[in-house]
Amino acid sequence: MSASADLILQSAIEQLRRHAPFDRMGAEDLGFLAARLKLAYFARGRTITSPQAGVAPILYIVQGGMARGELEGGVPGQDRLEYAEGECFPLAAVMGKRPTVHRYEALEDTFCYEAGAATVLELARRSAPFLEFCSNRAGALLRQSYASLQAGYARSSTAEIPVTASLRELLRRPPVACLPGETLRGALQAMQAARVGSIIVADSAARPLGVFTERDLLRLSVEGRLDLDQPVSRYMTSPVQSLPAAANAAEAAVLMAQAGIRHVAVLEEGRLAGVLSERDLFALQRGSLHGIIDAIACADDTAALSPVAADIRALAGSLLAQGVGAEQLTQMIVTLNDRLVARLLDLEVRRHELAGIQICWISLGSEGRLEQTIATDQDNGIIFASELSPGEARERLLPFAAAVNQALDACGFPLCKGNIMAGNPDWCLSVDEWQQKFASWMRDPLPGALLNAAIFFDFRSLWGDAVLAGELRAWLANEVHGNQRFLRAMAQGALECRPPLGFFTDFVTSDAEGAPDSIDLKAQGSRIFVDAARIFALASGSTETNSARRLRASGGQLRVPEEETEAVVAAFHFILLYRLRQQQQDRQHANRIRPEALNPLDRRILKEAFRQARQLQSRLALDYQL
């Protein structure tokens, strides 16, 4: 190879190395690709490739300039994809040995590396990172971004065990277990010998049947029901909370928080492999996970709960630093905040005369969807039932609700600026009144009604009589299902906010006070996924409120391939993750980021996430002919 040819080859390799997935490929595989690339020039406006080219023969990697792909027959201006330096197209068509469905043209004078289909297929066989990227581009980019994010925050974390580790990796000793016929005395002797605080009761095939802990021993002693010669199965707690060994520590932490337990059984193919305690999982900055739960349970006034709320936010920051995914992290935040709010309600209800009134405290908005982030205000309401008239019951409930709202504000959950709180008489209603309110929004879907529906239709029972919320949810699912006029109005409203993707630049930014040239990740990002998921769920009669679950449940009904649905969910969670990170760094501008401040990988995956949002909107527009 001549010196000039070698220089060109090395230049191509160095340029590819700056972009995913080439930055994760081995030197030999990267050299294999670079040696087979050709550089092509396309003048502005020239077609690069299209469906008319037949089975896609070439993969194009943008070396400089910008290209655009537009779906033939799609919605004009919506089904567009822009490709900047380092991005490649039409990857799926080349890998699938089929024609592309997009027409690609140069938005400006553009240079592209060209790789023949045979080279691309051979590279996928040789390189695992490239194959992963080909199989699920959004998922591969997201995983790489998570790894980068975790590495960037590792220095700020004092946790000793990464919560992304599998439970299999964290097991340190064989499980302490006994058969159900073992006496309680024998079980206690086994626990003492192993110096553990629990023992699993399992059958002869090592399938867990129950668990006995030191706390059970203390409770039985106080109750005077202790007989050491009785079988331990008589006293065990059943069923056992368990997870497969492939699950990670974050999943175990979420289960512990939700179930209020300290131990999780770890299973390999249904058989007991070990037991993990909360102590095994975390050594956190400001106390343990269960320490927070215990502090909530022991709090006897608002003043005691306020520092616990701060500890929850600190815990969320620590878990974010360890690389916990957005879905698990938001569920952890919601679970702990739910416990705190429920405890506060338990304390406050004692101070008010509410006998004879059934109460269900409902969470709305992001908390109702199990998507609460670090920076969040209050969105709540009350559903009630009583033999009293609605007016009389409401008169007794409002002082209680207002006191709870003020107490939550003292705990770091700001009062809602729009006054969407249970202390507002508009949102403290009987079941019939809620039904009338919802029916009026569906009957006359003006902008204000649609905005209310977007907030209140995501309600979830948090405390009190959950049957009331269940009745209202069942009624709503029945009423809205098939109401095409209302659903079309909601879809039209959901399409008013577009992803901030530009025609000639990666992103369209706007100015906010203290945050020039920035993007609102909530209003222009996650809201798009949330709105679409809500409409799909209401249209199908689903009672889910969580956006990811709504999207997954809707995928089958919409006949969308599972991998496409997961790409949409991954994009939603990436934006949610970046909102969480921004909230940890800058509470004043909690949802705004400056694209120019992002590294190349995160810029790329953010653009991919916005593309998924735009495609989701395209499907919504197609479904409702908008």
Side-chain angles (χ1 to χ4, degrees):
M1 180 182 295
S2 66
S4 61
D6 183 60
L7 185 62
I8 293 173
L9 179 63
Q10 290 304 314
S11 175
I13 290 174
E14 289 306 313
Q15 185 170 26
L16 289 173
R17 275 201 178 118
R18 296 200 297 266
H19 307 285
F22 311 110
D23 56 346
R24 297 176 58 224
M25 289 168 50
E28 183 178 345
D29 295 332
L30 200 54
F32 167 84
L33 172 63
R36 290 160 176 78
L37 294 177
K38 295 179 181 178
L39 188 62
Y41 165 73
F42 300 93
R44 178 181 178 181
R46 179 182 166 188
T47 296
I48 300 173
T49 189
S50 69
Q52 285 68 40
V55 175
I58 294 172
L59 178 71
Y60 298 89
I61 306 169
V62 179
Q63 190 264 357
M66 181 170 286
R68 178 176 68 200
E70 188 157 8
L71 183 68
E72 290 208 338
V75 180
Q78 291 187 24
D79 297 307
R80 284 176 173 166
L81 304 172
E82 289 79 34
Y83 296 86
E85 182 183 335
E87 296 187 275
C88 50
F89 61 88
L91 182 59
V94 172
M95 291 296 297
K97 301 178 182 180
R98 59 170 175 78
T100 178
V101 295
H102 290 78
R103 176 178 297 278
Y104 298 88
E105 66 176 43
L107 279 178
E108 55 190 64
D109 290 351
T110 300
F111 288 90
C112 291
Y113 290 122
E114 295 182 341
T119 296
V120 175
L121 294 171
E122 175 61 18
L123 185 64
R125 188 189 68 80
R126 298 167 57 121
S127 171
F130 185 70
L131 178 61
E132 180 192 27
F133 183 78
C134 293
S135 302
N136 184 357
R137 180 178 63 186
L141 286 170
L142 184 62
R143 282 187 289 275
Q144 190 169 348
S145 182
Y146 273 139
S148 174
L149 181 65
Q150 182 179 349
Y153 276 78
R155 297 185 186 91
S156 66
S157 175
T158 60
E160 297 175 356
I161 300 174
V163 291
T164 52
S166 72
L167 302 187
R168 186 182 295 110
E169 296 175 68
L170 302 181
L171 292 177
R172 296 290 181 266
R173 64 170 76 187
V176 178
C178 67
L179 293 169
E182 179 65 74
T183 64
L184 181 58
R185 187 191 310 276
L188 292 172
Q189 288 172 344
M191 290 168 60
Q192 185 178 30
R195 297 183 179 181
V196 296
S198 66
I199 188 168
I200 299 294
V201 181
D203 64 17
S204 57
R207 293 187 292 264
L209 303 174
V211 61
F212 185 83
T213 69
E214 289 178 337
R215 298 185 77 179
D216 293 326
L217 177 64
L218 181 61
R219 174 178 53 81
L220 290 168
S221 297
V222 171
E223 294 173 356
R225 296 195 296 115
L226 203 60
D227 185 342
L228 296 180
D229 294 320
Q230 288 293 321
V232 67
S233 57
R234 178 177 177 180
Y235 302 110
M236 70 184 184
T237 300
S238 181
V240 182
Q241 295 288 348
S242 62
L243 286 170
N248 63 35
E251 294 173 81
V254 170
L255 178 60
M256 286 181 179
Q258 291 176 337
I261 56 175
R262 297 173 184 266
H263 302 85
V264 172
V266 181
L267 308 182
E268 287 277 12
E269 298 181 354
R271 297 167 61 88
L272 183 66
V275 177
L276 282 175
S277 68
E278 182 210 13
R279 187 177 301 174
D280 295 326
L281 295 177
F282 296 112
L284 295 169
Q285 293 174 345
R286 297 188 62 185
S288 68
L289 172 72
H290 218 90
I292 291 175
I293 294 175
D294 284 347
I296 292 172
C298 295
D300 54 9
D301 56 28
T302 304
L305 285 171
S306 184
V308 181
D311 286 347
I312 294 173
R313 291 188 287 272
L315 171 60
S318 180
L319 295 176
L320 178 63
Q322 295 178 63
V324 175
E327 186 169 21
Q328 294 166 332
L329 183 53
T330 51
Q331 286 186 7
M332 176 78 75
I333 294 171
V334 169
T335 297
L336 294 176
N337 284 344
D338 277 2
R339 284 178 173 270
L340 185 146
V341 175
R343 180 57 181 165
L344 197 154
L345 285 158
D346 284 338
L347 294 171
E348 195 62 41
V349 76
R350 301 171 187 171
R351 301 178 55 246
H352 298 266
E353 179 50 55
L354 299 174
I357 304 176
Q358 295 172 264
I359 309 169
C360 179
W361 185 277
I362 55 174
S363 56
L364 309 167
S366 61
E367 189 177 12
R369 295 190 301 272
L370 302 170
E371 293 157 10
Q372 201 169 27
T373 56
I374 297 171
T376 183
D377 62 0
Q378 295 184 48
D379 285 312
N380 46 58
I382 284 178
I383 308 172
F384 65 81
S386 175
E387 293 183 359
L388 299 172
S389 71
E392 291 174 315
R394 186 163 30 254
E395 186 176 353
R396 289 170 57 183
L397 283 167
L398 286 176
F400 158 70
V404 174
N405 290 147
Q406 291 297 329
L408 287 171
D409 182 52
C411 287
F413 302 96
L415 298 172
C416 175
K417 294 178 181 178
N419 203 18
I420 299 175
M421 295 180 293
N424 181 343
D426 289 341
W427 314 125
C428 179
L429 305 172
S430 68
V431 175
D432 287 343
E433 288 174 326
W434 277 111
Q435 290 177 0
Q436 293 169 21
K437 186 86 73 173
F438 286 2
S440 70
W441 297 341
M442 289 185 281
R443 184 171 56 251
D444 194 10
L446 296 174
L450 293 173
L451 178 61
N452 284 333
I455 297 170
F456 287 90
F457 284 9
D458 293 343
F459 72 89
R460 175 176 62 88
S461 170
L462 191 152
W463 175 90
D465 191 345
V467 172
L468 299 178
E471 290 177 3
L472 183 60
R473 174 62 64 189
W475 176 88
L476 176 62
N478 182 67
E479 289 295 312
V480 76
H481 180 57
N483 188 335
Q484 291 301 308
R485 177 171 174 267
F486 174 71
L487 291 170
R488 191 174 190 276
M490 286 199 77
Q492 195 164 14
L495 294 176
E496 290 178 359
C497 183
R498 299 288 185 179
L501 292 171
F503 292 122
F504 301 104
T505 58
D506 285 355
F507 304 103
V508 176
T509 61
S510 59
D511 294 333
E513 186 176 352
D517 300 321
S518 60
I519 291 171
D520 189 328
L521 287 176
K522 181 178 180 180
Q524 299 173 281
S526 56
R527 173 189 162 184
I528 293 173
F529 295 90
V530 168
D531 286 349
R534 180 186 302 111
I535 294 166
F536 290 146
L538 291 173
S540 65
S542 171
T543 58
E544 288 284 1
T545 61
N546 177 260
S547 297
R549 294 175 191 167
R550 281 172 162 174
L551 289 167
R552 288 178 176 129
S554 301
Q557 296 170 354
L558 297 172
R559 297 183 179 87
V560 176
E562 184 179 351
E563 59 270 19
E564 290 185 23
T565 300
E566 286 305 316
V568 171
V569 172
F572 169 61
H573 285 150
F574 178 82
I575 293 175
L576 201 56
L577 176 76
Y578 249 86
R579 286 181 58 202
L580 288 162
R581 191 179 81 164
Q582 181 63 15
Q583 289 172 9
Q584 188 188 29
Q585 293 177 335
D586 185 355
R587 292 292 293 273
Q588 186 177 358
H589 307 104
N591 292 303
R592 297 195 75 96
I593 63 163
R594 295 183 66 248
E596 291 302 321
L598 300 177
N599 63 49
L601 174 63
D602 286 348
R603 282 178 65 89
R604 184 168 176 186
I605 184 60
L606 183 60
K607 185 164 70 170
E608 177 67 30
F610 286 141
R611 286 174 178 169
Q612 295 291 339
R614 188 161 60 185
Q615 290 176 5
L616 193 62
Q617 286 191 328
S618 295
R619 178 168 289 278
L620 204 58
L622 186 63
D623 286 352
Y624 291 96
Q625 300 179 352
L626 296 171

